[in-house]
Amino acid sequence: MSKVLVIAEHLDGKLNAATAKAVSAALALKPDSIDITVLASEPAAVAAQAAQIAGVARVLTVSNAANAHAIGQVLAPQIAKLAAGYTHVFGPSTTFGKDLMPCVAALLGTAQVSDVMSVEGSHTFKRPIYAGNAIITVEAPADHVVVATIRSASWPEAAQGGSAAIEAVAVEATLPSHTRFVSLAAGKSDRPDLQSARRVVSGGRGVGSEENFQVIYAFADKLGAAVGASRAAVDAGYCPNEMQVGQTGKIIAPELYVAIGISGAIQHLTGIKDAGTIVAINKDAEAPIFEIADIGLVGDLFKILPELQTELA
């Protein structure tokens, strides 16, 4: 008998798509029930969105002013209390989940299973290692709660159309005083969110400068796409680090990924392996990116992009 508790990720009253992907992983277990918990200062709006995910039995809301900001050390003690009676606790393998779930695992006295990309059994999972170059099968102890992060790029969003019951629950947990929210520094953009966008255009070192990176933004806007970057472009100061795609950045799986001026180092390829269609534009015909690209264009990006934009117009 398995019961799964999925931790909802949300921001500004909107449920992150990674939550529905974690539900997909939970469904693969064929559990007796799946519940989602929403921890927030005012969880009603997010809970209503979570209740529409198919396969979810209940949405448990924990209303607390301390939950206004997603701080792992604050949320974890509450989740550890909620976990009583559950066999599995799943969270997304996003920045939110990577911060939170290890704290939950520690409080529950178990080891975390990270980046689950496949469910082989109730306690057996597959996950990538060595920057995605190998896949390992791991087995969690059967006598402990399974705490896992779900690799969002490997799972589809669970369907909509659910009508889960929403229940407010009270959690008596001692919250830490040594960790508190001070401020949030975040980039603002009208473009789609990089983590969940269906189309992504990324630029690399080959773009040449921060000023030249404007051509990437312009092309992305033509496609209605999010904008990403290679680590080389971020390190060179062409764009902020929240745009970085790769092993030390964001792992994404858009339907369309356009890599412009990106050579294709393994660190970057790790972040895009699950993309649907990969288009590469690079003047170096021997660039590693062409080995995985579905469509490759060899040439000067500053000549190719204007021509593509003309065609799109």
Side-chain angles (χ1 to χ4, degrees):
M1 179 179 179
S2 57
K3 294 180 63 179
V4 186
L5 180 65
V6 174
I7 314 305
E9 177 177 353
H10 56 90
L11 182 65
D12 296 333
K14 294 182 179 179
L15 186 69
N16 191 296
T19 305
K21 295 184 177 185
V23 171
S24 285
L27 288 168
L29 288 166
K30 297 181 172 58
D32 295 284
S33 66
I34 299 172
D35 295 342
I36 293 179
T37 184
V38 178
L39 294 91
S41 57
E42 297 180 3
V46 177
Q49 297 167 52
Q52 296 175 22
I53 300 176
V56 176
R58 297 184 302 166
V59 177
L60 308 177
T61 62
V62 181
S63 179
N64 189 328
N67 297 337
H69 303 283
I71 301 173
Q73 288 75 13
V74 173
L75 301 183
Q78 302 171 72
I79 294 169
K81 292 287 186 181
L82 283 171
Y86 289 94
T87 58
H88 298 70
V89 180
F90 284 179
S93 187
T94 57
T95 302
F96 165 80
K98 290 175 181 178
D99 176 50
L100 170 64
M101 301 306 286
C103 299
V104 175
L107 291 172
L108 293 176
T110 189
Q112 174 182 294
V113 181
S114 302
D115 280 336
V116 169
M117 60 187 302
S118 174
V119 171
E120 304 298 308
S122 63
H123 289 73
T124 308
F125 311 92
K126 286 187 177 181
R127 63 175 300 266
I129 58 173
Y130 301 132
N133 286 310
I135 307 300
I136 189 172
T137 300
V138 296
E139 185 170 350
D143 57 346
H144 285 74
V145 177
V146 176
V147 177
T149 57
I150 307 303
R151 183 180 169 94
S152 299
S154 299
W155 297 90
E157 292 181 36
Q160 295 290 299
S163 56
I166 299 176
E167 300 179 17
V169 295
V171 177
E172 296 296 329
T174 302
L175 304 185
S177 58
H178 59 76
T179 303
R180 70 186 192 281
F181 176 80
V182 176
S183 64
L184 174 65
K188 294 183 179 180
S189 174
D190 295 330
R191 298 183 179 89
D193 174 62
L194 177 59
Q195 198 87 53
S196 57
R198 294 185 175 182
R199 302 170 185 169
V200 174
V201 175
S202 283
R205 190 198 306 272
V207 176
S209 69
E210 181 179 1
E211 293 74 21
N212 289 347
F213 213 85
Q214 295 302 316
V215 301
I216 305 297
Y217 294 122
F219 187 65
D221 290 342
K222 284 288 185 180
L223 293 175
V227 179
S230 68
R231 178 172 179 173
V234 171
D235 288 349
Y238 299 171
C239 49
N241 59 10
E242 65 260 23
M243 290 169 56
Q244 183 176 323
V245 174
Q247 185 181 5
T248 54
K250 292 180 170 65
I251 308 295
I252 59 176
E255 295 174 3
L256 173 65
Y257 185 77
V258 184
I260 302 172
I262 295 175
S263 63
I266 187 62
Q267 193 274 349
H268 188 78
L269 300 185
T270 297
I272 62 169
K273 282 186 174 179
D274 295 306
T277 299
I278 299 175
V279 178
I281 301 174
N282 199 297
K283 65 181 180 181
D284 180 8
E286 302 300 319
I289 191 72
F290 288 121
E291 295 180 10
I292 67 162
D294 299 287
I295 301 171
L297 296 174
V298 178
D300 185 345
L301 68 90
F302 297 105
K303 293 181 179 179
I304 291 175
L305 287 185
E307 293 174 2
L308 287 175
Q309 288 192 52
T310 300
E311 292 296 326
L312 289 171

